[in-house]
Amino acid sequence: MAERLDRALDVIADGYLALVRRSSWTRRWYVPVTAASLVLVAVVAVFRMETSGADYDPQYIRLIVERTMRYGGSYYENGIHNKGPLEPFIYEIAGRLGGDGGFWFVIGVFALVAASCVGMAAAVFAIRSGAPTVLAASVAAMAVVHLTLSNADYAGVLYARNITVALLAIAFVVSAHDSAWTSHPRRIAAVVVVGVSVGLAVQTLFTACFTATPVLIWAMWTRRRDRGSRWPAWLEMPLAAAAALLSAPVYYAATGSWRPFVDGWWVYARSMSTGTGRSLGSQLDLGWNNIFEYYRDRPALAVLIQVWLVATAVKWRDLDGADRSTRLLAGGWFITAWIELVLSQRYSSHYFVVLAAPTIMMIATLVGDVGRRWPTVFGRRPSLALLPLVITIVTVFVGGRAPFDLGVDAASHVTSVDDLVARRDAGIDGRTRVVAASLDLVSVGDDPLLMWTSVPWPYLNFDRVSATRYIWKSFLLGEIYLGRTGPEYVLPGTWDQFEADLDRTAPTAFIVEATNPVEPGTPFEVRVARDFSEVFDDGSLSLSYRNDLARWLSTPVATSEPFDLDPPSVVVAPEGCRRIDATLDPTALLDEPLTVEFGRIPNDPPSASIVLSASADGTIAAESNRIGFAGYSVPVGVGTDPVAASIVVGARSAVVVVDGVIVGAVAVDAGDEAVLVDEPGALSDGADSTSPDFTGCALPTRR
């Protein structure tokens, strides 16, 4: 079998070399073409990850970071976070560099860097196993493409586990790179980098201690003859790792944030472990079942692992010490990755990046075996510079083209960060636009918003931060992800801290979805009932204003002056809201809808509009030209009798209120100066007023 394979490879090699000789005039272009093409693929990957990076947990980390940037304090004082501070720190850098519009673009760049770290580690594995540089570069390209452009759920995101595998890859590369140990200063720096990388990996995710162990032991063994600053490198590495691991507890103890840090990093993390209710035996049994199912669904991967095992066993006697240690590291990393997954007790698809990393390293050693066995095929041929590009293309097709096509589409159409924001905003649904405009009347971006929710994206969609550190209701009810629910999993002092947060932030609005109602009998329900009044409800989502704002919205201002509704026009004052209070006759809307337009005086076309219509059952519905998806209707039943109505215009949005309820809301452009009402027969008894005591709708935006 081996002889037949050798002969087949020789035939392929002869044909390849003949093709190369015929195309010698193109040799000078191989390296530039490959380099430029790989840069383009990297750009495509970043644009793809600008979209895929906004996944579930990354959005939650962004919420913690934005709340920290808004109110100050530590990450743990602004959210329940059961991992180390490195992850939110990276996200804060993205927030400060990219702002609101470019945040996920910067995260995409960071995700590419993390994938490149794993790619470098794979290249080093291949080289240490005998692969020439071009084959090692091909393995690195394969790894990076898989971790950024494949259909795997861990690809194209920057979860905590993507960060930990990147840190372990850095520790391996520095340990293996001889040039990093050639002088005393370099050895000190190398010891620090290796130790800190391992320590931060464990600090970021405590279960990473399993995969970090073989990497650290391998580094200590490989550099056992080198010295660091004063002691042997093998001794200083674990000391540096321990210092990095303990840096967060020491820092938060010194700065006065010890209790919030311990609550998240240790207490809640422990609840995540115990909250599944499984014994060690049941964890191992579940793990075995998941291992079996994982490789049953991926038979090619199972075969590859077996080939690696057989190849290692057959070649073991012929390997030198460095080669053996590298293969032991790959195998140990692989085994401990499964241990980490089993003891984490959760098998979410994005967790498997911890397994993907050592699997890639095992592939790299097999590639090294190929490169060592047939050196004539992989000689110094100029055209071989194209091999990384060929492997990249093959990996894209094997991993699924959809992510690549998405990145190409985004990269080919987006010209600026503003364009990115515009493309993202184009996909916002009508309900979100109506509620966002209603919020903009009483608050500005980054203001506190109280929500009862289990998901992170509403805060980001509405450009608001959580009014309390309990961003999700799960922290108030003791709901453990894929585990039990009970008061024993609620952190001590939670409700007292919840009340203190609300007193400090004084949110102007509260939102809850009909499918996820507030838990009855909780302090949350008591506080909402006491402080908020509903102003909008479309059957799926309810918006409430703080009581004083709800009263202001539904009660005509006492100082109103008579207002001529024909022709109607009101100048918007910059110092406060402007409103028209009137009486609305619903029956008049049966014949012709009422259109309220917002724009500039005197002749510019309207920038936004709200159209009111009525049905025979006395239901009024509002639509807008700015909410997308062919309009979004908000029906409100008011009967056929005349009712109070108001048109309120703020600095960023305008709303139409009927019988104390918001029936329509729309964003208005900066500089809009007038309200124009078409078909005024439905309105009567008009009064125009300012509201100088209410400045919420005239506050300047923070962004």
Side-chain angles (χ1 to χ4, degrees):
M1 182 65 180
E3 293 178 359
R4 292 181 181 178
L5 182 60
D6 284 342
R7 286 197 298 271
L9 284 171
D10 288 340
V11 171
I12 295 173
D14 291 341
Y16 169 76
L17 294 175
L19 178 63
V20 169
R21 284 192 291 270
R22 293 179 183 178
S23 57
S24 59
W25 64 274
T26 63
R27 292 179 181 180
R28 70 178 71 118
W29 297 104
Y30 292 151
V31 172
V33 166
T34 297
S37 300
L38 293 180
V39 169
L40 288 176
V41 171
V43 171
V44 169
V46 171
F47 274 92
R48 181 260 172 153
M49 291 186 291
E50 192 275 334
T51 300
S52 63
D55 213 332
Y56 198 95
D57 282 4
Q59 288 190 46
Y60 177 71
I61 297 300
R62 179 176 178 178
L63 294 178
I64 293 177
V65 167
E66 292 193 344
R67 193 170 192 277
T68 304
M69 295 169 67
R70 173 69 167 84
Y71 291 110
S74 71
Y75 303 126
Y76 300 90
E77 291 173 310
N78 286 280
I80 308 301
H81 182 52
N82 63 322
K83 304 179 181 72
L86 178 62
E87 183 182 14
F89 177 72
I90 292 173
Y91 276 71
E92 181 172 350
I93 294 175
R96 296 190 182 279
L97 291 179
D100 184 54
F103 182 93
W104 296 113
F105 191 85
V106 178
I107 289 296
V109 174
F110 289 165
L112 177 62
V113 171
S116 299
C117 292
V118 178
M120 285 190 298
V124 174
F125 262 95
I127 290 173
R128 290 177 66 89
S129 299
T133 303
V134 66
L135 267 185
S138 301
V139 172
M142 178 271 295
V144 173
V145 171
H146 176 71
L147 294 175
T148 58
L149 285 171
S150 73
N151 281 322
D153 287 343
Y154 52 72
V157 294
L158 195 65
Y159 275 70
R161 287 169 176 81
N162 297 76
I163 296 173
T164 59
V165 297
L167 289 170
L168 296 181
I170 291 172
F172 166 75
V173 170
V174 174
S175 300
H177 201 15
D178 290 335
S179 63
W181 302 83
T182 54
S183 66
H184 183 66
R186 288 189 176 187
R187 287 194 295 273
I188 295 175
V191 166
V192 171
V193 170
V194 172
V196 169
S197 296
V198 171
L200 288 181
V202 178
Q203 183 192 91
T204 298
L205 194 67
F206 206 73
T207 53
C209 64
F210 297 105
T211 47
T213 297
V215 175
L216 181 58
I217 292 175
W218 183 89
M220 294 165 62
W221 171 261
T222 301
R223 296 301 165 186
R224 62 191 181 279
R225 296 185 178 89
D226 293 302
R227 292 191 65 83
S229 57
R230 295 184 179 181
W231 300 301
W234 66 264
L235 177 59
E236 291 185 344
M237 285 181 187
L239 292 178
L245 171 62
L246 297 175
S247 61
V250 171
Y251 172 80
Y252 289 114
T255 57
S257 281
W258 173 254
R259 188 70 259 170
F261 168 72
V262 171
D263 281 346
W265 189 67
W266 183 256
V267 178
Y268 197 78
R270 184 179 59 192
S271 296
M272 291 284 289
S273 177
T274 60
T276 60
R278 298 190 188 97
S279 65
L280 179 60
S282 61
Q283 293 175 34
L284 296 176
D285 182 63
L286 178 63
W288 175 255
N289 291 334
N290 275 276
I291 292 173
F292 176 78
E293 292 178 4
Y294 183 84
Y295 290 111
R296 184 187 62 185
D297 295 338
R298 299 165 180 82
L301 202 57
V303 170
L304 186 147
I305 300 300
Q306 294 177 50
V307 169
W308 182 87
L309 289 171
V310 171
T312 299
V314 170
K315 294 170 60 68
W316 186 257
R317 290 186 177 180
D318 298 329
L319 299 176
D320 58 22
D323 230 348
R324 289 181 177 181
S325 68
T326 302
R327 290 173 184 270
L328 285 174
L329 172 59
W333 196 343
F334 176 82
I335 293 171
T336 53
W338 270 115
I339 293 175
E340 179 177 338
L341 287 169
V342 169
L343 295 185
S344 70
Q345 306 182 57
R346 293 164 180 86
Y347 299 90
S348 299
S349 53
H350 61 273
Y351 282 25
F352 282 88
V353 69
V354 302
L355 182 65
T359 303
I360 290 172
M361 306 313 163
M362 297 168 83
I363 293 173
T365 59
L366 290 176
V367 171
D369 290 342
V370 173
R372 178 182 293 173
R373 187 173 179 83
W374 292 289
T376 56
V377 177
F378 302 105
R380 298 180 61 85
R381 306 291 179 180
S383 60
L384 280 171
L386 294 173
L387 187 59
L389 177 58
V390 173
I391 296 299
T392 296
I393 296 172
V394 171
T395 306
V396 167
F397 276 87
V398 171
R401 268 189 51 193
F404 182 81
D405 292 344
L406 178 64
V408 170
D409 179 70
S412 61
H413 289 89
V414 174
T415 58
S416 66
V417 172
D418 290 340
D419 196 14
L420 278 172
V421 175
R423 285 169 62 89
R424 191 182 301 120
D425 288 348
I428 296 177
D429 62 279
R431 176 185 294 107
T432 299
R433 293 182 186 275
V434 170
V435 176
S438 301
L439 289 173
D440 281 343
L441 188 68
V442 296
S443 61
V444 297
D446 283 347
D447 267 357
L449 172 65
L450 182 61
M451 288 196 68
W452 181 268
T453 183
S454 300
V455 294
W457 44 84
Y459 296 100
L460 299 178
N461 289 341
F462 299 135
D463 191 24
R464 299 298 187 271
V465 300
S466 174
T468 77
R469 71 191 289 241
Y470 308 100
I471 297 172
W472 290 340
K473 72 179 181 73
S474 57
F475 303 120
L476 299 172
L477 299 178
E479 296 175 341
I480 299 301
Y481 172 58
L482 298 180
R484 298 171 173 175
T485 297
E488 64 271 25
Y489 303 120
V490 177
L491 293 172
T494 286
W495 288 111
D496 290 339
Q497 183 62 53
F498 170 78
E499 296 284 353
D501 282 349
L502 286 185
D503 291 340
R504 180 168 65 99
T505 60
T508 57
F510 160 68
I511 291 177
V512 63
E513 294 179 331
T515 56
N516 192 13
V518 176
E519 187 76 11
T522 59
F524 193 105
E525 182 192 42
V526 174
R527 188 65 182 255
V528 168
R530 188 190 76 186
D531 292 349
F532 295 91
S533 299
E534 186 177 286
V535 296
F536 171 87
D537 186 355
D538 68 346
S540 297
L541 182 147
S542 170
L543 168 67
S544 299
Y545 282 171
R546 202 174 60 209
N547 288 336
D548 59 327
L549 304 182
R551 284 192 298 269
W552 169 82
L553 187 70
S554 61
T555 306
V557 179
T559 58
S560 295
E561 297 293 335
F563 178 66
D564 185 5
L565 291 168
D566 190 16
S569 126
V570 55
V571 176
V572 178
E575 70 274 7
C577 286
R578 195 81 181 198
R579 63 190 290 166
I580 300 171
D581 295 319
T583 299
L584 175 66
D585 182 6
T587 58
L589 300 180
L590 294 172
D591 298 326
E592 189 169 355
L594 170 66
T595 301
V596 184
E597 298 177 341
F598 310 93
R600 294 181 176 88
I601 296 176
N603 297 318
D604 285 350
S607 61
S609 67
I610 296 176
V611 180
L612 298 183
S613 58
S615 60
D617 62 358
T619 299
I620 294 178
E623 295 185 4
S624 170
N625 66 335
R626 278 201 164 182
I627 57 179
F629 294 95
Y632 176 72
S633 179
V634 185
V636 177
V638 296
T640 57
D641 296 331
V643 293
S646 298
I647 303 168
V648 186
V649 185
R652 294 163 304 282
S653 67
V655 302
V656 175
V657 182
V658 176
D659 199 23
V661 177
I662 295 176
V663 297
V666 65
V668 296
D669 292 339
D672 281 358
E673 298 174 326
V675 178
L676 308 175
V677 181
D678 185 23
E679 184 55 37
L683 295 177
S684 60
D685 302 326
D688 170 28
S689 68
T690 60
S691 185
D693 294 332
F694 177 70
T695 58
C697 55
L699 287 172
T701 57
R702 288 194 176 88
R703 294 184 176 179

